[in-house]
Amino acid sequence: MATDVGRLTRTQGLTRRYGTRTVLDSLDLEIAPGEFVALLGQSGSGKSTLLRALAGLDGDAIGGAAGDGLVAVPAQVSVVFQDARLLPWQRVLDNVVLGLDGAAERGRQSLAEVGLAGRERAWPNELSGGEQQRVALARSLVREPQLLLADEPFGALDALTRLKMHALLRRLFEEHRPAVLLVTHDVDEAIALADRVLVLDQGRIAAEQRLDAGRSTAEIRAELLRALGVTGDGP
């Protein structure tokens, strides 16, 4: 997949407000090309607001937040939401290549990559929740993103399906190597998938952990939970 290997995803002094409430507070963030970053935080910490800012979906024209600061992203950005957001009146392949002219063969290849070869003519309501999220991933991949933004894409799935989707997403990441920002509430999901895990608190980065061979998963997990305000005695 073609990528602009020199282009960082970056925010500098990023501030977003809803009325009098500051959701992102002069946030500085960098994501390197080909890096997988997971973003944790309690509800209301600004995770989804940051993702929308990077996706260019938080403008005043759509009732979004006011604010300022620098946002720099690659030319090709795709978003995967918790809800697959498939058009029920379009078949699976048509959903994957929506808005792309002459991309049917690429769409079939993307569906094959996510394990849905042969389901091109199915309707969305004929698919399970996990299969619908696979279609959403295929729809993102067919656009050859340099940055993939994922807003709790597995939050509505059962535990076994989540594990299967984790393995699929990690495999697709290794094959395509976009930069990824995964928003999640799940510490174990973040550790399983990411190269680097950030904790967002009150609109700022409160903690950062890199996944490397020199530290145990248990140690990293405990430090992330502490940063989230969770101890052995509960929050």
Side-chain angles (χ1 to χ4, degrees):
M1 179 176 60
T3 57
D4 179 359
V5 296
R7 184 70 180 271
L8 285 170
T9 298
R10 181 164 66 101
T11 71
Q12 184 175 0
L14 183 63
T15 300
R16 290 293 185 268
R17 301 181 187 88
Y18 290 91
T20 60
R21 179 173 173 245
T22 299
V23 180
L24 298 178
D25 187 6
S26 298
L27 180 69
D28 295 336
L29 171 67
E30 288 190 353
I31 303 174
E35 183 181 22
F36 197 130
V37 176
L39 185 66
L40 294 166
Q42 298 184 19
S43 296
S45 62
K47 302 184 304 297
S48 293
T49 299
L50 173 58
L51 185 143
R52 287 195 297 271
L54 293 173
L57 298 176
D58 66 343
D60 290 337
I62 55 172
D68 49 30
L70 170 71
V71 178
V73 297
Q76 299 296 329
V77 180
S78 288
V79 185
V80 180
F81 298 96
Q82 182 173 346
D83 183 337
R85 302 194 180 190
L86 304 181
L87 300 178
W89 58 87
Q90 297 273 21
R91 296 185 186 271
V92 164
L93 180 60
D94 295 326
N95 268 281
V96 170
V97 300
L98 185 69
L100 299 177
D101 294 330
E105 184 56 34
R106 284 163 49 198
R108 292 186 185 92
Q109 292 172 0
S110 289
L111 283 169
E113 282 191 286
V114 300
L116 290 177
R119 303 303 303 277
E120 295 87 355
R121 297 291 296 166
W123 297 104
N125 64 6
E126 296 174 337
L127 305 180
S128 68
E131 288 172 332
Q132 290 183 24
Q133 282 301 84
R134 288 172 184 260
V135 175
L137 280 174
R139 182 176 56 197
S140 292
L141 289 174
V142 80
R143 286 155 174 79
E144 300 185 344
Q146 297 162 290
L147 172 64
L148 177 64
L149 302 170
D151 193 1
E152 299 191 69
F154 312 132
L157 304 178
D158 64 81
L160 180 58
T161 303
R162 282 174 70 113
L163 290 175
K164 292 179 179 178
M165 293 299 292
H166 289 172
L168 174 63
L169 179 58
R170 189 68 204 187
R171 176 175 63 78
L172 293 171
F173 168 72
E174 295 293 345
E175 291 176 0
H176 292 268
R177 302 303 297 186
V180 177
L181 179 64
L182 170 71
V183 169
T184 179
H185 280 99
D186 188 331
V187 172
D188 294 319
E189 180 173 86
I191 292 172
L193 291 173
D195 305 315
R196 180 164 56 112
V197 183
L198 306 175
V199 176
L200 193 64
D201 183 37
Q202 297 183 8
R204 293 190 173 188
I205 303 298
E208 175 179 350
Q209 295 290 329
R210 291 189 177 274
L211 281 296
D212 56 57
R215 309 178 63 219
S216 71
T217 298
E219 181 183 4
I220 293 171
R221 185 177 188 276
E223 292 188 14
L224 289 171
L225 287 172
R226 280 194 293 272
L228 290 164
V230 180
T231 66
D233 299 324

